[in-house]
Amino acid sequence: MARLLLILAASLVALAWPASCQRLPVLAPVTKDLATSLYTLPFHDGANLVVDIAGPLVWSTCQRDHLPAELPCKSPTCRLANAYPVPGCHAPGCGRDWHGDRTCTVYPYNPVTGACAAGNLVHTRFVANTTDGRNPVSQVNVRAVAACAPRKLLASLPRGSTGVAGLAGSGLALPAQSMDHTPLVTKQGSPAHYISVKSISMDNTRVLVSERALATGGVMLSTRVPYALLRRDVYRPFVDAFVKALAAQAAPGGPVARAVRPVAPFELCYDAQTLGNTRFGYWVPSVTLALDGGRDWRMAGVNSMVDVEPGTACLAFVEMKGVKAGDGRAPAVIVGGLQMENIVLEFDMEKKRLGLRTMPYYMQCSHFNFTRSA
């Protein structure tokens, strides 16, 4: 059985922190099917996807663990999915209504028969391994947006395959989904990097802070401050939402967090033994920033809680001092160093965008990539 190795992601120029950590590429074995002479790579649960270097999409037959993406026609992802219509297939599912709220329809196609079918976009994952350049290191699940297709589209594909992994240069091909992106924003008079945040959520419940409040002053990225700083009009609703969400975790039988004396500069501190532990840090409400472009920046306990002294952990979001609520001369939020740990951040200066990807739980590193697109 012939085998190839396909590297799906690799570093360009990286400044790694700490220096002892490495950003490892993702490696997937590619196997040649002798009956069809086509190549496949592992998907999950024993299934495979056919490799199509010219394919613009990832698609597979509808699986039970697929999560509907429910993306509207007006979403940038829908436009990417329909950017390269296949000759002989239907027109893009949104027709001319690219600004409507109708659910996005896409048309995956079989690269052997040329047949296509209508489908919806879903969130899925495939299995791969990180590599140190010589040997596989650890297995990871790589998330992707894919099209859900009917089984009839599998005709003439290798036995055991459930779809196609498109590897073309399109926005929804597999290589392009190694990382989420959001636009980098510049602020007049400041050399710093800003991002546009539409809302903040605490365990999927929106914090009572308006998009206008977040846009006033913007959201800045900074490694000069160790923890996130929030302007008062953002900080107070944020803290109230955290307390409420943490209490709600105990309702179905979860651990009851016991508050302890605050340790400056933090306001909310807890007995660490009363906080549940997960591989992503303390079991506390997740903080999610809804970013421009439809992407989310989700922060688990490892990015939101800090051990300040033996047995005490505090919420690592601090109120800005000397800044009045709504004062646009100061950022609404400054994302600090702790919030950027265990995340790959790629600053694409040519396209003026920020790439984000959460590191697997066993790789406790932070990475900052500064690249210019060719």
Side-chain angles (χ1 to χ4, degrees):
M1 183 181 296
R3 281 185 174 269
L4 300 174
L5 288 178
L6 177 67
I7 296 181
L8 298 178
S11 299
L12 296 178
V13 179
L15 300 178
W17 174 48
S20 60
C21 294
Q22 292 181 330
R23 181 184 174 188
L24 300 180
V26 174
L27 192 74
V30 177
T31 303
K32 185 176 182 179
D33 178 67
L34 298 181
T36 63
S37 294
L38 296 174
Y39 298 93
T40 64
L41 56 78
F43 187 31
H44 62 79
D45 297 333
N48 300 306
L49 294 182
V50 176
V51 175
D52 182 9
I53 292 181
L57 285 173
V58 179
W59 66 264
S60 67
T61 52
C62 303
Q63 305 292 323
R64 291 181 179 179
D65 63 346
H66 282 166
L67 299 177
E70 299 293 340
L71 295 170
C73 287
K74 64 183 179 182
S75 69
T77 303
C78 186
R79 284 184 173 274
L80 289 175
N82 287 288
Y84 298 95
V86 180
C89 289
H90 298 278
C94 293
R96 297 180 179 178
D97 186 23
W98 288 110
H99 300 287
D101 291 323
R102 266 197 306 146
T103 300
C104 180
T105 301
V106 295
Y107 291 93
Y109 75 98
N110 183 312
V112 177
T113 65
C116 63
N120 294 327
L121 293 175
V122 296
H123 294 291
T124 187
R125 59 185 175 83
F126 74 93
V127 295
N129 286 283
T130 56
T131 177
D132 60 6
R134 295 182 179 180
N135 302 297
V137 177
S138 299
Q139 190 176 84
V140 295
N141 288 320
V142 179
R143 295 178 299 171
V145 174
C148 178
R151 293 192 61 83
K152 65 180 182 181
L153 214 59
L154 297 178
S156 300
L157 296 184
R159 179 177 297 180
S161 61
T162 60
V164 171
L167 302 182
S170 58
L172 279 191
L174 195 56
Q177 300 191 59
S178 295
M179 187 170 287
D180 292 333
H181 290 91
T182 191
L184 280 171
V185 180
T186 57
K187 185 178 179 181
Q188 188 174 4
S190 173
H193 292 296
Y194 288 76
I195 56 175
S196 178
V197 176
K198 304 299 184 181
S199 64
I200 303 175
S201 297
M202 197 75 65
D203 266 358
N204 301 318
T205 298
R206 186 165 177 167
V207 177
L208 297 179
V209 176
S210 68
E211 182 177 345
R212 181 177 179 181
L214 293 170
T216 302
V219 176
M220 188 179 101
L221 306 178
S222 176
T223 52
R224 296 180 183 179
V225 296
Y227 316 113
L229 299 178
L230 281 62
R231 201 174 56 209
R232 184 170 180 81
D233 53 317
V234 180
Y235 179 76
R236 292 292 2 141
F238 181 91
V239 167
D240 292 343
F242 181 86
V243 172
K244 183 177 180 180
L246 186 62
Q249 285 187 172
V256 179
R258 186 174 70 86
V260 297
R261 175 183 53 84
V263 178
F266 309 106
E267 178 180 339
L268 297 181
C269 296
Y270 299 90
D271 180 347
Q273 293 185 348
T274 65
L275 297 172
N277 281 286
T278 74
R279 60 187 184 181
F280 302 106
Y282 291 113
W283 186 40
V284 294
S286 60
V287 177
T288 302
L289 307 182
L291 306 177
D292 190 10
R295 306 299 186 183
D296 288 338
W297 184 345
R298 183 178 179 275
M299 303 174 187
V302 68
N303 297 112
S304 64
M305 301 294 293
V306 59
D307 292 309
V308 295
E309 57 186 36
T312 300
C314 300
L315 179 65
F317 290 80
V318 180
E319 181 180 352
M320 289 183 192
K321 302 301 181 183
V323 178
K324 295 182 180 180
D327 187 347
R329 293 172 296 181
V333 177
I334 299 178
V335 178
L338 180 70
Q339 282 70 42
M340 292 187 280
E341 291 182 8
N342 308 315
I343 295 176
V344 175
L345 296 176
E346 181 183 57
F347 293 81
D348 189 332
M349 309 310 295
E350 186 72 21
K351 295 183 179 179
K352 293 181 172 57
R353 64 181 187 175
L354 176 70
L356 304 98
R357 181 168 179 81
T358 302
M359 300 294 288
Y361 72 93
Y362 48 81
M363 298 174 64
Q364 299 299 307
C365 313
S366 294
H367 295 269
F368 300 90
N369 257 12
F370 294 88
T371 69
R372 287 191 178 273
S373 302

Short mmCIF file of all heavy atoms in Angstrom, two decimals, residues 11 21 36 45-47 55 65 75 82 87 127 130 164 177 193 230 240 247 252 264 279 303 311 318 323 327 333 342:
data_model
loop_
_atom_site.label_atom_id
_atom_site.label_comp_id
_atom_site.label_asym_id
_atom_site.label_seq_id
_atom_site.Cartn_x
_atom_site.Cartn_y
_atom_site.Cartn_z
N SER A 11 4.93 26.63 10.10
CA SER A 11 5.26 27.97 10.56
C SER A 11 6.00 28.73 9.48
O SER A 11 6.70 28.16 8.66
CB SER A 11 6.13 27.90 11.80
OG SER A 11 5.45 27.25 12.84
N CYS A 21 9.27 26.28 23.89
CA CYS A 21 8.14 25.67 23.20
C CYS A 21 8.34 25.71 21.70
O CYS A 21 9.07 26.53 21.18
CB CYS A 21 6.85 26.39 23.56
SG CYS A 21 6.40 26.23 25.30
N THR A 36 -8.82 2.72 -7.39
CA THR A 36 -9.19 3.95 -8.11
C THR A 36 -8.01 4.85 -8.42
O THR A 36 -8.16 5.82 -9.18
CB THR A 36 -10.22 4.75 -7.29
OG1 THR A 36 -9.59 5.16 -6.06
CG2 THR A 36 -11.46 3.95 -7.00
N ASP A 45 -13.50 8.28 13.01
CA ASP A 45 -14.30 7.06 13.16
C ASP A 45 -14.04 6.07 12.04
O ASP A 45 -14.96 5.39 11.56
CB ASP A 45 -15.79 7.39 13.24
CG ASP A 45 -16.13 8.23 14.46
OD1 ASP A 45 -15.40 8.11 15.46
OD2 ASP A 45 -17.11 8.99 14.41
N GLY A 46 -12.79 5.99 11.56
CA GLY A 46 -12.45 5.01 10.54
C GLY A 46 -12.76 5.42 9.12
O GLY A 46 -12.45 4.69 8.18
N ALA A 47 -13.37 6.58 8.93
CA ALA A 47 -13.71 7.04 7.58
C ALA A 47 -12.55 7.84 6.99
O ALA A 47 -11.65 8.30 7.70
CB ALA A 47 -14.97 7.89 7.63
N GLY A 55 -9.80 20.95 -5.32
CA GLY A 55 -11.13 21.11 -4.72
C GLY A 55 -11.24 22.34 -3.85
O GLY A 55 -10.36 22.59 -3.01
N ASP A 65 -22.59 13.56 14.32
CA ASP A 65 -21.87 14.52 15.17
C ASP A 65 -21.60 15.84 14.47
O ASP A 65 -20.93 16.71 15.01
CB ASP A 65 -20.57 13.92 15.68
CG ASP A 65 -19.60 13.59 14.55
OD1 ASP A 65 -20.04 13.58 13.38
OD2 ASP A 65 -18.42 13.35 14.83
N SER A 75 -23.36 35.98 5.25
CA SER A 75 -22.12 35.74 5.98
C SER A 75 -20.95 35.63 5.01
O SER A 75 -21.08 35.12 3.89
CB SER A 75 -22.21 34.46 6.81
OG SER A 75 -22.25 33.33 5.95
N ASN A 82 -19.26 29.64 -1.96
CA ASN A 82 -19.84 29.69 -3.30
C ASN A 82 -18.99 30.51 -4.27
O ASN A 82 -19.46 30.94 -5.32
CB ASN A 82 -21.25 30.28 -3.24
CG ASN A 82 -22.25 29.31 -2.64
OD1 ASN A 82 -22.64 28.33 -3.25
ND2 ASN A 82 -22.66 29.59 -1.40
N PRO A 87 -18.93 24.22 -13.17
CA PRO A 87 -19.70 24.19 -14.42
C PRO A 87 -20.66 23.02 -14.46
O PRO A 87 -20.30 21.88 -14.14
CB PRO A 87 -18.61 24.05 -15.49
CG PRO A 87 -17.38 24.60 -14.86
CD PRO A 87 -17.48 24.24 -13.40
N VAL A 127 -9.08 13.92 12.19
CA VAL A 127 -7.96 13.58 13.06
C VAL A 127 -6.65 13.74 12.32
O VAL A 127 -6.56 13.52 11.11
CB VAL A 127 -8.08 12.14 13.59
CG1 VAL A 127 -9.30 12.00 14.48
CG2 VAL A 127 -8.13 11.14 12.45
N THR A 130 0.42 15.98 15.28
CA THR A 130 1.48 16.97 15.23
C THR A 130 2.80 16.21 15.03
O THR A 130 2.91 15.03 15.35
CB THR A 130 1.56 17.79 16.51
OG1 THR A 130 1.72 16.91 17.64
CG2 THR A 130 0.28 18.61 16.70
N VAL A 164 -14.85 14.44 0.37
CA VAL A 164 -13.67 14.98 -0.31
C VAL A 164 -13.04 16.08 0.54
O VAL A 164 -13.75 16.92 1.10
CB VAL A 164 -14.05 15.54 -1.69
CG1 VAL A 164 -12.89 16.31 -2.31
CG2 VAL A 164 -14.48 14.40 -2.63
N GLN A 177 -8.32 26.58 6.53
CA GLN A 177 -8.98 26.49 7.82
C GLN A 177 -7.98 26.00 8.91
O GLN A 177 -8.47 25.57 9.99
CB GLN A 177 -10.17 25.54 7.71
CG GLN A 177 -11.23 25.99 6.67
CD GLN A 177 -12.51 25.20 6.76
OE1 GLN A 177 -13.17 25.17 7.79
NE2 GLN A 177 -12.89 24.55 5.68
N HIS A 193 -2.09 47.41 17.77
CA HIS A 193 -3.03 46.57 17.02
C HIS A 193 -4.36 46.53 17.76
O HIS A 193 -4.41 46.28 18.97
CB HIS A 193 -2.49 45.15 16.88
CG HIS A 193 -1.27 45.05 16.01
ND1 HIS A 193 -1.28 45.34 14.66
CD2 HIS A 193 0.00 44.68 16.30
CE1 HIS A 193 -0.08 45.16 14.15
NE2 HIS A 193 0.72 44.76 15.13
N LEU A 230 -10.34 46.39 31.58
CA LEU A 230 -11.65 46.76 31.05
C LEU A 230 -12.06 48.13 31.57
O LEU A 230 -11.95 48.41 32.77
CB LEU A 230 -12.72 45.73 31.44
CG LEU A 230 -12.79 44.41 30.66
CD1 LEU A 230 -11.50 43.60 30.81
CD2 LEU A 230 -13.99 43.58 31.11
N ASP A 240 -20.43 41.25 36.81
CA ASP A 240 -21.76 40.78 37.23
C ASP A 240 -22.15 39.51 36.47
O ASP A 240 -22.71 38.57 37.05
CB ASP A 240 -22.80 41.87 36.99
CG ASP A 240 -22.60 43.08 37.90
OD1 ASP A 240 -21.89 42.95 38.91
OD2 ASP A 240 -23.16 44.15 37.60
N ALA A 247 -22.30 31.01 39.51
CA ALA A 247 -23.31 30.45 40.41
C ALA A 247 -24.20 29.45 39.68
O ALA A 247 -24.62 28.44 40.25
CB ALA A 247 -24.15 31.59 40.99
N PRO A 252 -26.74 22.57 38.66
CA PRO A 252 -26.98 21.16 38.30
C PRO A 252 -26.08 20.18 39.03
O PRO A 252 -25.91 19.05 38.59
CB PRO A 252 -26.71 21.16 36.80
CG PRO A 252 -25.71 22.21 36.59
CD PRO A 252 -25.97 23.27 37.62
N ALA A 264 -5.24 42.32 45.52
CA ALA A 264 -5.04 43.38 44.54
C ALA A 264 -4.13 42.91 43.40
O ALA A 264 -3.18 42.16 43.63
CB ALA A 264 -4.45 44.60 45.22
N ARG A 279 -8.75 20.11 31.85
CA ARG A 279 -7.46 20.21 31.15
C ARG A 279 -7.26 21.59 30.54
O ARG A 279 -6.18 21.89 30.04
CB ARG A 279 -7.38 19.14 30.07
CG ARG A 279 -8.47 19.22 29.00
CD ARG A 279 -8.40 18.03 28.09
NE ARG A 279 -9.37 18.12 27.00
CZ ARG A 279 -9.51 17.19 26.06
NH1 ARG A 279 -8.76 16.10 26.10
NH2 ARG A 279 -10.40 17.33 25.11
N ASN A 303 -7.11 30.93 30.48
CA ASN A 303 -6.89 32.30 30.03
C ASN A 303 -7.67 33.34 30.83
O ASN A 303 -7.55 34.54 30.54
CB ASN A 303 -7.28 32.45 28.55
CG ASN A 303 -6.42 31.60 27.64
OD1 ASN A 303 -6.91 30.66 27.05
ND2 ASN A 303 -5.15 31.93 27.53
N GLY A 311 -3.52 28.37 46.99
CA GLY A 311 -4.91 28.11 47.30
C GLY A 311 -5.88 29.19 46.88
O GLY A 311 -7.08 29.08 47.13
N VAL A 318 -9.26 43.09 34.98
CA VAL A 318 -9.08 44.17 35.95
C VAL A 318 -9.71 45.45 35.42
O VAL A 318 -9.66 45.72 34.22
CB VAL A 318 -7.59 44.39 36.24
CG1 VAL A 318 -7.37 45.51 37.25
CG2 VAL A 318 -6.95 43.08 36.75
N VAL A 323 -9.86 56.11 34.42
CA VAL A 323 -10.60 56.25 33.15
C VAL A 323 -12.09 56.22 33.45
O VAL A 323 -12.58 55.29 34.11
CB VAL A 323 -10.24 55.12 32.17
CG1 VAL A 323 -11.05 55.25 30.89
CG2 VAL A 323 -8.75 55.14 31.85
N ASP A 327 -15.30 56.75 28.12
CA ASP A 327 -14.27 57.68 27.65
C ASP A 327 -13.56 57.06 26.44
O ASP A 327 -12.79 56.11 26.57
CB ASP A 327 -13.26 57.95 28.77
CG ASP A 327 -12.26 59.05 28.40
OD1 ASP A 327 -12.20 59.43 27.21
OD2 ASP A 327 -11.55 59.52 29.30
N VAL A 333 -11.43 47.75 25.98
CA VAL A 333 -10.79 46.54 26.52
C VAL A 333 -9.35 46.52 26.04
O VAL A 333 -9.06 46.83 24.87
CB VAL A 333 -11.51 45.26 26.05
CG1 VAL A 333 -10.78 44.02 26.57
CG2 VAL A 333 -12.96 45.25 26.49
N ASN A 342 -1.19 30.25 25.19
CA ASN A 342 -1.73 29.00 24.65
C ASN A 342 -2.53 29.22 23.38
O ASN A 342 -3.43 28.44 23.05
CB ASN A 342 -2.61 28.28 25.69
CG ASN A 342 -1.90 28.11 27.00
OD1 ASN A 342 -0.74 27.72 27.02
ND2 ASN A 342 -2.56 28.43 28.09
#
